[in-house]
Structure formats: structure tokens, C-alpha cells
Amino acid sequence: MVGPLLESKFHVPRLRSGLVARPRLSELLTGGSGSALTLVSAPAGFGKTTLLAEWLAAPAEGRSPAWLSLDQRDNDTALFWTYLVAALQPAVPGVGAGALPLLQSSRSAMEAGLATLLNDLDAVPTDVVLVLDDYHVIESADVQDGMAFMLEHLPPQLHLVIAGRADPAVPLARLRARGELVEIRAADLRFTPDEAAEYLTTVMGLTLTTRDVAALEGRTEGWIAALQLAALSMRGRADIAGFIAGFAGDDRYIVDYLAEEVLQRQPEQVRSFLLQTSILGRLTGPLCEAVTGVDGGNTMLAALDRDNLFLVPLDDRRRWYRYHHLFADVLQAHLRAEQPDAVGGLHRRASDWYEATGDRAEAIHHALAGGDVARAADLVELALPTLQRGRQEATMRRWLEALPDEVIRARPVLCVGYAAALMVRGEVEGVEARLRDAERWLTTDSDQGSTAPSAEMVVVDTEGFRRLPSAIAMYRAGQALLSGDAAGTISHARVALHLAGADDHLGRAAPAGLLGLAYWASGDLDAGHRWYAEAAASLEKAGHLSDVTGCSLALADIRIAQGRLREAMSTYERALRLVTSEGGPVLRGAADMHVGMSELFRESDDLDAALRHLLTSRDLGEQAGLEQNPYRWQVAMSRVRQAEGDLGGALGFLDQARSRYISDYFPDVRPVAAARARVCLAMGRWSEALDWVQQRGLSAEDDLTYLREFEHITLARVLLARCTAGHAERSINEATGLLERLLSAAEDGGRTGSIVEILVLQSLTHQARGDVPAALAPLERALGLAEPEGYVRIFADEGPPLRSLLRAVAKSGTAPDYVRRLLAALDRTRESSPVQQNLVERLSARELDVLRLLGSDLDGPDIARELFVSVNTVRTHTRNIYAKLGVTNRRAAVRRGEELDLLARTRDGRRGRAAIADR
């Protein structure tokens, strides 16, 4: 997940021997482990990091420590959560694997990713203490919002410790009011007189009188950094009392004064090393040698460490260190004052070393810090492909914004990279200006169609430059798609495709996919499928097999809309083979293929197979992050629940799907809210369905488009439900007219899936009018279209109203075997939960409700609110469930419920309510 140069971020800082024992603070930290958050907040130099490292170094049964040292770069949301999960994994192996793809994607997916991570942590049997050190560097609102959400839903096994120089932007007042906050501040961290005496005499080895100690403690007010500097300054002095009397003033003055004293007493070789390496955030021997130009970097660092010269070890092997922040500030001030012309060269050498060792991010940081914007721009240009693949647009944006505008405008590859960073964040404004900045440098040979660099511009990524004309057209196509301009999308995408080289498979895949999206959204499904198939083929040739699965989702969705279910299944099966090759790793997107296959098995009424594929998908998603569209899992599970007759469970999964939905370029042709309105109708909650109609501004007279076809068919259902509920003639007339227009539009577009559903609804509309003979004609046509593809649930989900019509059709001899199969699906009874059938001691109805919700994203208080009971009642039910299922934690309970469910299904085929975890 992270490279070796970053490993020091995740190590608890190594302690030196002989530290002052501070049991009063250790007890405070240990006592606070039962709360959600411990906040250690104080200015620099108060020993925050040392205190926490000392506390975690003490053995504690059942406690697993996790540590993350933060810096400015961690304001990139994707990096922050990547590193946080990496910090947790040594303590909890495998945690967050399913959450990470969500946490690294869009802002809209953040809450779902955090919910997945928190569910993982909720299943951990031991307590975990996560320390976030130097949290004051975090300024990103997205990161702060995510942390606030995490704190609000923290499982009891996880205790968070935040250490920094300022209070974090999290709901401290609310946590304080709940008794969930322990605070350690500067007043607590100051050395007491006894601790100061022990530190100065025992740790630092000074011979001081009681009066000397008291004077030092009084002058520094127990400020640890000042005491350490004073102790270093007093080594070897004869007149200690005179030295103590010679400094006074505020904290900052004391530190500056004492640091200068320490520096002046160092040999020139040591002093030079300290100043030159002060530009480094982390130090290791080879890096220090590269910066100073002097051998013996490891030896020097070891000597400084032995002398307690404000060097903090960052790993157990003492390979990486950092200077104490206050000491580093003083060293850097002296460096700038004494050697201002050397600063840029020092940063340049650090940048070169980091680039040579593969840490381009640090190389860019030092190039920028040294004012070498040309080198920084070169490195950023070379880093763009990796940043885009890793979805680190925030980092890319930060680097680009640090460069002067004139530097970017002279580099067409950076201009287009900037446009890409804007589009990813949904900021269309400014994109065209950047594309034009790039375009003005391009000169095209009209005979060859090639692009050559102008003499005045700068290009370091020649391959990226070669692709610019196609990329510019492709981003313009994306702009047009976001603005709803299908014609513009098609026009620009065709230009991009024409400009892409025949062997540029990635360059051809993107515009082909945009063409597929444009045609799909406009309702031309054949053209949409054709272009998406080309995009998938190009991605496969480029070796981007995980991305092929994204195309396969679109290809299967289109085939399902066309009523070609068997081809859709073949699409999923082929994509699954690509990403699960024998002997190789399972790739991202595999979980989504299982979800798609589950939907098709559900439609054919093979609910056991549908459930098995959903469980396989869930396991793949949580074990290896192989799920790209988690909301689809929730929708699919909802439809299985509905087929089982568990409408409450179906509605719950749709509510979770709504929170996990990630808006992307795919047309939202089956909105979750519309699916929810349908379930509300089935439950008799007509007012909620009517509220949805009003919110969406739907009416039977609307112009019809493919994008809103699912919504308008749902509107027809609402009108039909109002008719059967006694709101009579007007509703049924509106439903009849709307269905006729919908049928005509679906026929024109070749959307057989919609045609079958509309015909079924027309049959039910005639039945509502009391005209059974008229109802049979559309039903018989629907059966003729549906039988070859194996549709079942599209009929069976209509419930009892359709049973009598199917029996009437059966009497006429139409598709007798098929009709018998549909009637069997309608007539199945659901006697009891399969979970119950395999238990010695049965779960109560309320325990079943709790078990179902344990498999959701809800925490204990949320479950209590959902069931209108107290949190203590939920805890009691949970303990009973654990005892009856023979498990000890939430995840095990959910898995046990699944096992019992599948066992019952395999044994006797009866279907019922099963608790399936939402992971």
C-alpha cells in the first residue's frame, strides 16, 4: 500500500532509555481508553509525542496500537485515508480493504467508505488505539468532515487519540457533553517540580542544587523543550547559577536563546550538518550524505541520537529520524540568516535524491521549497499519469496551484492535466481556458496529422504530448456530456477517436466509452452497446482488465434494457473470467460481476443462486477491495428481499443504496429513489410514493425520454395504485394514456425489458377497469416476449392481482408450461425464516429484526432509533443473538445467519428472511 520511504509514518516513535516516568499522565490516558477520543493539545515542545509513545510502549493486555504521523501532504483526502488504513493494518490485518476504493474515490462515496471501514473495526475482537500525531497540519475540510463522521459512529473497540498544537475541527463540545472526551493540555503536560528535578539530574546527568532546579523550573514553567535546551547548554559549564540567571522572557524567546546556546557549543562539523539537514522533514543516512555532500550520515545521526540533540527516531531500526519541530524551526532560521544562497542548492540535492529513490512526491516538495519551479514542473508533468491512476487529484491540484501560472501555460501537458483535475472535482468552469492554453502550442502537419512541439514551450512527457490533441477533444466531449449536450459529446468524441493512434488503445478507449455513454443516455441502445464494446476491447488490449468490468456493467445494462438477458449473462461471465484468471490475482471489478449475475438469477426466480452470488460479491469486496459500485449490491439485495416477501428489508437496503450511490458518467436510468417508491407502493405506503412523484415533478403529460422512462413507469404504477385505492376514473385514465405513450416510445427504442413491464401494467389497468378480456391481449404479448429470455420475477412481483389473469391465460392454452412456472412462483408461501429452522433455541421476532440490522451500516444507537427502542434493549437483544448463534461478535453473527439461511435453502428450498451483512 505504501513504499518503504513512508514506513516511518506508521511506527510508534522509539523511546530512549531513562525517560522521566509520568504515571499521572499514563493513568489519565489509560482511563480515557473507554472514551471515543483522547485529545492531547498543546503548543510545540510539550512532549506530546513522547508521552504517547511511552504510554503505548507499556504492555497492555488486549490492546493493539496503531500510529500515523501526519504532514501537510496528508491533506489530500485519498492519501489521508490510504495512510490511515495502512496504519491500522498492522494492528488489524486486512481491515479496510473493501473500504479503501470508496475512500479513494469521490467525496460522495466517502460516507459509504467510512461506514464500511467502521463495520470492519466493529468486528475486531480486541481494542485498537489509533494515534494521529501532528493533526494540526490537517486543514482539508473533506478530511475533517470524514473524521467528524468517524467519531460520531466510532465502534466501542476503537479509541482515537489526536495529538496536535491546536484543537481539531471535530465536535468536541458534543463529545465532552457525552463524557466521550478525555483532554490533556499544556497545563497537564508541564513538568512538575519533582519531574523537572528527575529530568535534569537523572536523565540529563547534571549536578544541580535544589535552588537551581527550582529556578529552572520556574523560568521555563515546566516547558519540556526549554528544559532540554537549558540542560544541553549547561553541560560543561562551571558557573551554572550564573547561566540560569542569564535568561528570561517568554517561551519563544527562551527557545531561541537556548537553541543558539546549544548550536554555539557544537563542533563546526556537527553545526554544519544540523543547519544543512534542517530542510528535511525526515532524515536518513544516505539522504543526509546527498544533501551535505559529506560521508558518514548514519554515524552522525547515531551520535546526535546518543547526545539527545532533539532527534526523534521514527522506526525501530533507527534508520529514519526527524528533528524536534521547535529545534528544526531554529535551525532553519539560522540557515536562512547565515547561508541564504545555499538553501536552494540543498533542496535541489534533496529533490535529486528522492527522485532517484522513487519518491517523486518528496522530490517535488523540495523542488518547490527550493524555488526551482522549472524542475518542480518537470517532475509534476512526469507524475501526472501515476496521480491520475491513483485518483490523487487533490495532490495534483495542490502542486499545480503552487506553480506560477506562466509556467503552466508554457507546458501544454500540464495545462491538460490541470483541466483533468478540475473536471474530476466537477468544476467545469476553467476547463476550457486550460484546454485552449494547451491547444495554442500545438502545430499540426495537415498532411501527416502529427503534432510537433513549438520552440517556446516546454515538454518533458513526450508520450503525453503526443496524445494531447486526442486528449483535448476527449475532455471537451466529457464537458459536453456533463452539460447534457449529447450532440456535442458525440462530435468531440469522434474527433478524439480520429486523432488517437491506431495502437493507442487507452487513447481510443476513453472517447469510445464517451460515445457509448452519449448514445445510451439518448436511448440509442444499439449504438451505445457498439461503442461500449469497442471501448472494452481497447481496454483489454491495453491490459486494463479491471476497467473492462466497468464497461461490462454498461454492456449488460444495455442488453437488459433490450430484454436480452442471456447475452447480459454472457457479458458478465466473460468479464469475470478476465479478472479471475486461474493462478492469478482476482482483480478489481470482480465483485460487481457477481452482483450483475445475481440480478439475472433473481429475475429467473433462482433466489438461492442470486443470494450466493451476492455473498461472493460481498466477500470479494470486503477482502480485497474488488468492488467498484457498492450501491448496486444494496439494490440487488433489496430485490432479493422483495422477491422473498420481506418488503421492510427491501426498503432498508434501498435506503442504504441511496447513501452509497456515487454519481458518475453512467446515465442514472434506474434511480434508487424510484425503486424505493415502488417498494413503498407494495407496502401500501402510497403517501410516500406520492411525495416522491411531487419531488420529481412528474406528470402523465410529460415529454418522454429514455433517461426518465423508469420514473414514468413508476408514475404509472402510482396512478394505478390510486385507482385501486378508490381514487378512480381520472387516475386510471391518466395511467392508461401514459402507458400507451410509454409503450410506443419503448417499441421505437427497442427496449424490450420496458415493453414487457408496460404490457403487464396495461393488463392490470384493464383488469382494474373490470375488462378481463381486454387485459389478456397485452399479457399474452408480454409472455411471448418474456418466455425466450426466462423472465419470471417481472410477473411474479406483481403478486395476487396477476394470478387470476395468468390462470385465465392458461385456460386459453397460451404458453402453458411457462404460465405454470409463473403461477408456481406466485403461489409459493414463505412460512418461516430459514435461520430459525436450524436453531436449537429460536430467535424472537425482535431478535430477527436486530439481526437483520446488524448486517447493515447502522451502529447501535441508529439500530435503536430504527426499532424505537433504547440502546440498552438493543444490547440485550444482541447478547441473546450471540448466545443463540454461538458467536462472540457482530460480523460472526451476521455470517452465522447467512450460513443457516443457505443451509435451510439447500435442504428444503423454503425461502424466508435471512440476515445478510451489508459490507
Side-chain angles (χ1 to χ4, degrees), residues 661-682:
Y661 176 71
I662 303 170
S663 179
D664 55 17
Y665 284 90
F666 271 30
D668 189 13
V669 293
R670 295 180 69 89
V672 174
R676 188 183 189 282
R678 293 183 174 209
V679 175
C680 286
L681 285 176

Side-chain angles (χ1 to χ4, degrees), residues 476-538:
R476 285 193 171 127
Q479 276 185 290
L481 187 70
L482 288 174
S483 64
D485 180 4
T489 304
I490 292 169
S491 174
H492 289 300
R494 287 188 181 279
V495 171
L497 201 60
H498 172 73
L499 293 173
D503 296 330
D504 184 3
H505 302 305
L506 279 178
R508 298 186 67 81
L514 286 168
L515 282 167
L517 283 167
Y519 282 115
W520 180 15
S522 64
D524 189 344
L525 300 188
D526 284 332
H529 190 278
R530 182 171 65 253
W531 283 111
Y532 248 113
E534 182 166 329
S538 295

Side-chain angles (χ1 to χ4, degrees), residues 587-603:
L587 302 179
R588 188 170 57 93
D592 295 300
M593 299 302 97
H594 284 287
V595 172
M597 294 167 74
S598 168
E599 286 271 44
L600 294 171
F601 278 118
R602 183 207 62 84
E603 179 54 51

Side-chain angles (χ1 to χ4, degrees), residues 490-702:
I490 292 169
S491 174
H492 289 300
R494 287 188 181 279
V495 171
L497 201 60
H498 172 73
L499 293 173
D503 296 330
D504 184 3
H505 302 305
L506 279 178
R508 298 186 67 81
L514 286 168
L515 282 167
L517 283 167
Y519 282 115
W520 180 15
S522 64
D524 189 344
L525 300 188
D526 284 332
H529 190 278
R530 182 171 65 253
W531 283 111
Y532 248 113
E534 182 166 329
S538 295
L539 288 167
E540 188 173 346
K541 289 175 184 175
H544 286 230
L545 300 185
S546 291
D547 294 322
V548 174
T549 62
C551 290
S552 298
L553 283 175
L555 290 169
D557 280 351
I558 291 171
R559 285 299 188 232
I560 290 169
Q562 292 176 315
R564 295 155 74 167
L565 305 189
R566 300 187 193 282
E567 288 184 43
M569 181 65 83
S570 297
T571 298
Y572 287 133
E573 289 171 342
R574 183 182 184 282
L576 192 59
R577 287 194 296 272
L578 280 178
V579 293
T580 56
S581 57
E582 187 174 352
V586 180
L587 302 179
R588 188 170 57 93
D592 295 300
M593 299 302 97
H594 284 287
V595 172
M597 294 167 74
S598 168
E599 286 271 44
L600 294 171
F601 278 118
R602 183 207 62 84
E603 179 54 51
S604 68
D605 203 37
D606 189 346
L607 301 187
D608 293 345
L611 186 60
R612 281 195 298 272
H613 278 282
L614 283 174
L615 296 180
T616 300
S617 170
R618 193 278 319 279
D619 290 341
L620 286 172
E622 76 178 18
Q623 290 170 11
L626 302 176
E627 186 178 41
Q628 299 185 67
N629 298 274
Y631 85 94
R632 285 179 174 253
W633 193 97
Q634 312 292 333
V635 172
M637 183 57 75
S638 169
R639 302 189 77 190
V640 170
R641 283 285 174 261
Q642 185 175 3
E644 293 174 332
D646 180 6
L647 298 179
L651 199 64
F653 279 111
L654 285 176
D655 287 338
Q656 292 175 45
R658 191 160 48 177
S659 69
R660 288 190 167 202
Y661 176 71
I662 303 170
S663 179
D664 55 17
Y665 284 90
F666 271 30
D668 189 13
V669 293
R670 295 180 69 89
V672 174
R676 188 183 189 282
R678 293 183 174 209
V679 175
C680 286
L681 285 176
M683 299 175 75
R685 291 160 61 168
W686 298 316
S687 62
E688 290 184 49
L690 287 170
D691 288 343
W692 168 79
V693 170
Q694 292 175 352
Q695 290 166 7
R696 296 297 295 155
L698 296 169
S699 80
E701 290 76 34
D702 289 339

Side-chain angles (χ1 to χ4, degrees), residues 38-70:
T38 292
L39 175 63
V40 184
S41 181
F46 274 87
K48 301 181 291 294
T49 300
T50 301
L51 171 67
L52 293 173
E54 180 184 20
W55 174 56
L56 291 180
E61 186 176 351
R63 182 184 73 190
S64 300
W67 185 283
L68 177 58
S69 296
L70 298 164

Side-chain angles (χ1 to χ4, degrees), residues 700 704 712 715-716 719 733-743:
L704 301 181
H712 279 113
L715 172 61
L719 294 170
N733 288 338
E734 288 181 336
T736 300
L738 178 58
L739 288 168
E740 287 175 355
R741 293 198 301 128
L742 285 167
L743 181 61

Side-chain angles (χ1 to χ4, degrees), residues 97-116:
L100 205 52
L102 290 167
L103 294 170
Q104 292 174 332
S105 58
S106 64
R107 281 176 291 179
S108 59
M110 183 65 60
E111 191 170 307
L114 287 172
T116 303

